[in-house]
Amino acid sequence: MKKLLVVLLGLASLNVCVANPTYDATRGALQNDPSLCQYGYNPNCASSRQHQRNQPTEIINIKVPSQYGAWAVNPKTGISGGVLNMSSRALAEKEAIRACEQGGRNAPCVVGAWVRNGCIAVAQGKTGKKLRTFYAIEDPNLAEPTALRKCQDAGAVQCRITTPEGCSLPKF
């Protein structure tokens, strides 16, 4: 009787393995049921991956106008001025020179740096007796640290931010 019971249990377990040869006991029921492939529950199905790859991707181009900023300085006096969020580089440079010259009292000014869709900061430090200027044009929150690092990497001392970070970023 015991032999018969062992044989029956053995046949029953063999029947389970033969009934579904793809069944893997180490994976859950959702991964083993091929009928669930069409619903995306079974990541091991080639058909669900194929279905996902065949989905059309819609590309939408949105035209967002660029924004410009500029910083100008009078090389003799060191007085500077700048503007942000202008519609063109030429306009940004023109307005930066106008802001720097302060109605003619600080003329002549020259553009030191400009930015398109980014941020600008200016640092100054001394190299010997000469004051040097360092510009950084970066992503938001990176311009000031970059300007200071450029100043320090050049061997200047007493490096400090003279123009805090200002950003000209497109508006969505």
Side-chain angles (χ1 to χ4, degrees):
M1 183 72 167
K2 287 183 183 181
K3 284 185 181 180
L4 183 60
L5 184 59
V6 169
V7 169
L8 286 174
L9 287 175
L11 287 175
S13 67
L14 180 64
N15 189 26
V16 169
C17 293
V18 172
N20 188 353
T22 63
Y23 189 84
D24 182 358
T26 62
R27 296 188 290 172
L30 292 177
Q31 281 82 19
N32 283 306
D33 191 351
S35 67
L36 296 174
C37 287
Q38 63 185 347
Y39 301 106
Y41 291 121
N42 189 342
N44 301 312
C45 294
S47 63
S48 76
R49 287 186 190 135
Q50 204 172 27
H51 177 70
Q52 290 172 352
R53 272 191 233 123
N54 291 338
Q55 293 292 331
T57 302
E58 185 178 350
I59 298 173
I60 300 172
N61 290 322
I62 300 173
K63 184 170 169 84
V64 180
S66 293
Q67 295 291 306
Y68 296 84
W71 182 83
V73 63
N74 181 319
K76 292 178 184 175
T77 65
I79 297 173
S80 63
V83 294
L84 298 170
N85 298 318
M86 297 284 126
S87 59
S88 71
R89 177 180 173 183
L91 181 61
E93 289 178 349
K94 178 182 172 186
E95 291 300 319
I97 288 171
R98 182 181 299 178
C100 174
E101 290 180 348
Q102 302 172 356
R105 294 180 303 213
N106 189 41
C109 288
V110 294
V111 174
W114 64 276
V115 63
R116 175 182 168 256
N117 298 336
C119 302
I120 186 170
V122 182
Q124 287 184 336
K126 290 184 179 180
T127 307
K129 292 184 178 183
K130 188 175 182 182
L131 190 63
R132 291 188 56 199
T133 303
F134 302 88
Y135 312 99
I137 296 168
E138 285 283 348
D139 290 332
N141 301 319
L142 296 176
E144 286 184 22
T146 301
L148 281 175
R149 187 177 63 249
K150 284 182 177 182
C151 180
Q152 293 162 349
D153 289 350
V157 295
Q158 298 176 355
C159 294
R160 64 184 179 89
I161 296 294
T162 56
T163 303
E165 178 176 278
C167 299
S168 289
L169 300 173
K171 295 178 177 52
F172 296 97

